[in-house]
Coordinates of all heavy atoms in Angstrom, one line a residue:
G10 N 93.0 47.2 85.9 CA 93.4 48.6 86.4 C 94.9 48.7 86.8 O 95.3 49.8 87.4
H11 N 95.6 47.7 86.6 CA 96.9 47.5 87.2 C 97.8 48.6 86.3 O 97.7 48.7 85.0 CB 97.5 46.1 86.9 CG 98.9 46.0 87.5 ND1 99.2 46.1 88.8 CD2 100.1 45.4 86.9 CE1 100.5 45.8 89.1 NE2 100.9 45.3 87.9
E12 N 98.7 49.4 86.9 CA 99.5 50.3 86.2 C 100.7 49.6 85.3 O 101.2 48.8 85.7 CB 100.3 51.2 87.2 CG 99.3 52.0 88.1 CD 100.2 53.0 88.8 OE1 101.4 52.8 89.3 OE2 99.6 54.1 89.2
L13 N 100.6 50.1 84.1 CA 101.5 49.3 83.0 C 102.5 50.4 82.5 O 103.7 50.1 82.6 CB 100.6 48.9 81.9 CG 99.5 48.0 82.2 CD1 98.6 47.7 81.0 CD2 100.0 46.6 82.7
F14 N 102.1 51.4 81.9 CA 103.2 52.4 81.3 C 102.8 53.9 81.5 O 101.7 54.1 81.7 CB 103.0 52.2 79.8 CG 103.2 50.8 79.2 CD1 102.1 50.1 78.9 CD2 104.5 50.2 79.1 CE1 102.2 48.8 78.4 CE2 104.6 49.0 78.6 CZ 103.5 48.2 78.3
S15 N 103.9 54.6 81.7 CA 103.8 56.1 82.0 C 103.7 56.8 80.5 O 104.5 56.3 79.6 CB 104.9 56.6 82.8 OG 104.9 58.0 82.7
S16 N 103.0 57.9 80.4 CA 103.1 58.6 79.2 C 104.4 59.3 78.9 O 104.8 59.5 77.7 CB 102.0 59.8 79.2 OG 102.3 60.7 80.3
R17 N 105.2 59.3 80.0 CA 106.6 59.8 79.8 C 107.4 58.9 79.0 O 108.5 59.2 78.4 CB 107.2 60.2 81.0 CG 106.6 61.3 81.8 CD 107.4 61.6 83.2 NE 107.1 60.3 84.0 CZ 106.8 60.4 85.2 NH1 106.8 61.4 85.9 NH2 106.6 59.2 86.0
A18 N 107.1 57.5 79.0 CA 107.7 56.5 78.2 C 107.3 56.4 76.9 O 107.7 55.4 76.1 CB 107.8 55.2 79.1
K19 N 106.1 57.1 76.6 CA 105.5 56.8 75.2 C 106.3 57.5 74.1 O 106.8 58.6 74.4 CB 104.0 57.3 75.2 CG 103.3 57.0 74.1 CD 101.8 57.5 74.2 CE 101.0 57.3 73.0 NZ 99.7 57.8 73.1
Y20 N 106.4 57.1 73.0 CA 107.1 57.7 71.8 C 106.3 57.4 70.5 O 105.7 56.5 70.5 CB 108.6 57.4 71.8 CG 108.9 56.0 71.5 CD1 109.3 55.7 70.1 CD2 108.8 55.0 72.1 CE1 109.6 54.5 69.7 CE2 109.2 53.7 72.0 CZ 109.6 53.5 70.6 OH 109.9 52.2 70.2
E21 N 106.6 58.2 69.5 CA 106.2 58.0 68.2 C 106.9 56.9 67.4 O 108.0 56.9 67.5 CB 106.3 59.2 67.3 CG 105.3 60.3 67.9 CD 104.0 60.2 67.6 OE1 103.4 59.4 66.7 OE2 103.2 60.4 68.7
H22 N 106.2 56.0 67.0 CA 106.8 54.8 66.2 C 105.9 54.6 64.9 O 104.8 55.0 64.9 CB 106.7 53.6 67.1 CG 107.5 52.3 66.4 ND1 106.9 51.5 65.6 CD2 108.7 52.0 66.4 CE1 107.6 50.6 65.2 NE2 108.9 50.9 65.7
S23 N 106.4 54.0 63.9 CA 105.6 53.8 62.6 C 104.6 52.7 62.8 O 103.6 52.8 62.1 CB 106.5 53.2 61.7 OG 107.2 52.1 61.9
S24 N 104.4 52.0 63.9 CA 103.3 51.1 64.2 C 102.1 52.1 64.6 O 102.3 53.1 65.0 CB 103.7 50.3 65.5 OG 102.5 49.7 65.9
P25 N 100.9 51.6 64.1 CA 99.7 52.2 64.5 C 99.4 52.2 65.9 O 98.4 52.7 66.5 CB 98.6 51.4 63.7 CG 99.2 50.1 63.5 CD 100.7 50.3 63.4
W26 N 100.2 51.3 66.7 CA 99.9 51.1 68.2 C 100.7 52.0 69.0 O 101.8 52.5 68.6 CB 100.2 49.7 68.6 CG 99.4 48.5 67.7 CD1 99.9 47.8 66.7 CD2 98.1 48.4 67.8 NE1 98.9 47.0 66.1 CE2 97.8 47.3 66.8 CE3 97.0 48.8 68.6 CZ2 96.5 46.8 66.6 CZ3 95.7 48.3 68.4 CH2 95.5 47.2 67.4
P27 N 100.3 52.5 70.2 CA 101.1 53.1 71.1 C 102.3 52.3 71.4 O 102.5 51.2 71.5 CB 100.2 53.4 72.5 CG 98.8 53.0 72.0 CD 98.9 52.2 70.8
A28 N 103.5 53.0 71.5 CA 104.8 52.5 71.7 C 105.4 53.1 73.0 O 105.3 54.3 73.2 CB 105.6 52.7 70.6
F29 N 106.0 52.3 73.7 CA 106.6 52.7 75.1 C 107.9 52.0 75.3 O 108.2 51.0 74.6 CB 105.8 52.2 76.2 CG 104.3 52.7 76.3 CD1 103.3 51.9 75.6 CD2 104.1 53.9 76.8 CE1 102.0 52.3 75.6 CE2 102.7 54.4 76.8 CZ 101.7 53.6 76.1
T30 N 108.8 52.6 76.0 CA 110.2 52.2 76.1 C 110.4 51.3 77.3 O 111.3 50.5 77.5 CB 111.2 53.4 76.1 OG1 110.8 54.3 77.1 CG2 111.4 54.1 74.9
E31 N 109.5 51.7 78.3 CA 109.6 50.9 79.7 C 108.3 50.8 80.3 O 107.4 51.7 80.1 CB 110.6 51.6 80.5 CG 110.2 53.0 81.0 CD 111.5 53.8 81.6 OE1 112.6 53.2 81.8 OE2 111.1 54.9 82.1
T32 N 108.2 50.0 81.4 CA 107.0 49.9 82.1 C 107.1 50.7 83.4 O 108.2 51.2 83.7 CB 106.8 48.4 82.6 OG1 107.9 48.0 83.5 CG2 106.7 47.4 81.5

Side-chain angles (χ1 to χ4, degrees):
H11 189 59
E12 293 183 337
L13 303 171
F14 305 101
S15 168
S16 60
R17 290 181 297 220
K19 188 176 179 184
Y20 71 98
E21 291 295 322
H22 187 269
S23 60
S24 165
W26 306 104
F29 302 91
T30 55
E31 61 188 6
T32 60

